[in-house]
Amino acid sequence: MQTVLSINGISKSYGRIQALKQVSFDVPKGSVFGILGPNGSGKTTMLGIVLDVLQANSGGFTWFGQPSSADTRKKIGSLLETSNFYHYLSAVDNLHITQAISGRGTAADIDVALEIVKLTERKKSKFNTYSLGMKQRLAIGAALLGNPEVLVFDEPTNGLDPVGIAEIRELIKELAKQGKTIIMASHLLDEVEKVCTHVAILKRGELITAGAVDEVLKNEDIVEVGAADMAQLKRIMEGYGGYRQLQQQEKNLQLNFETGTANLAAINQYCFNNGVVLNYLNLKKKSLEAKFFELTK
């Protein structure tokens, strides 16, 4: 798969505070790539660096296999914070000003962008009459000027009500269907799970893990087993295949299986055949929230 953005060992400090520590990952072409982490994890700093707003202390990155340049930046539309639109001008007038200042695209692109973000019917309404969701959609419309290959969004649903959040999520999905590569920072697990195809998880400036969402944030079956002789049970279960992890808990053993692969009857029979009678056998699901907190704890 072709790589759009390659980040190699980026570090960034603000005085004694290290915002990023040797972070490396690749963003595949056509992906919706979420940079996920709690507030203060370095997400916004990372986006600022790859958009040439901030400079890294060490490490580097390439866009489309090349160093960042004026030519590569023409292929990237971004929304790092709510755009500074003029409140008493219409949407179309605001985008004309944005286009003239940025030099991205032509005046003809404005109607196309407004259609994509579903603001055509309100394009002559003043910006101050828009809901927060509409204002954010207009900001995304500004990022679309010039028809960029890549879109970079920092917390695109931040501060929106549930309706506004749903609108932005659907818009991101639609843009992805059109072949755009979308990179978005978020602290919301639910947002990444519903919208993104790939994810990198940051915690206090360190990369915890990166990859496809369905691999990184995989649900799990957790089986808890107990017996009178826990030492014997552990020895027996170490020979049982199919689980991803075995952990000694205070009163039982915990085995992690991929979702849908745990077979309680088979485990019970296996233990009995090996001379162990279970006095406790329980199946529970690990939620995505639990997985995320486990990764970032």
Side-chain angles (χ1 to χ4, degrees), residues 265-280:
I267 292 171
N268 192 34
Q269 188 66 51
Y270 171 82
C271 291
F272 183 79
N273 291 345
N274 284 276
V276 175
V277 176
L278 297 178
N279 57 26
Y280 182 73

Side-chain angles (χ1 to χ4, degrees), residues 34-106:
I35 301 176
L36 175 65
N39 291 329
S41 59
K43 305 184 300 293
T44 298
T45 297
M46 175 59 71
L47 294 187
I49 289 170
V50 300
L51 291 172
D52 292 320
V53 176
L54 299 170
Q55 189 168 0
N57 296 121
S58 61
F61 63 93
T62 57
W63 284 106
F64 316 103
Q66 302 172 353
S68 182
S69 66
D71 286 338
T72 61
R73 283 192 293 275
K74 288 177 183 176
K75 301 177 183 180
I76 304 163
S78 63
L79 172 59
L80 287 187
E81 55 187 35
T82 303
S83 299
N84 294 320
F85 292 122
Y86 291 95
H87 285 221
Y88 294 100
L89 290 181
S90 67
V92 68
D93 287 341
N94 267 301
L95 290 192
H96 273 295
I97 292 170
T98 300
Q99 191 278 320
I101 292 172
S102 67
R104 290 173 46 238
T106 65

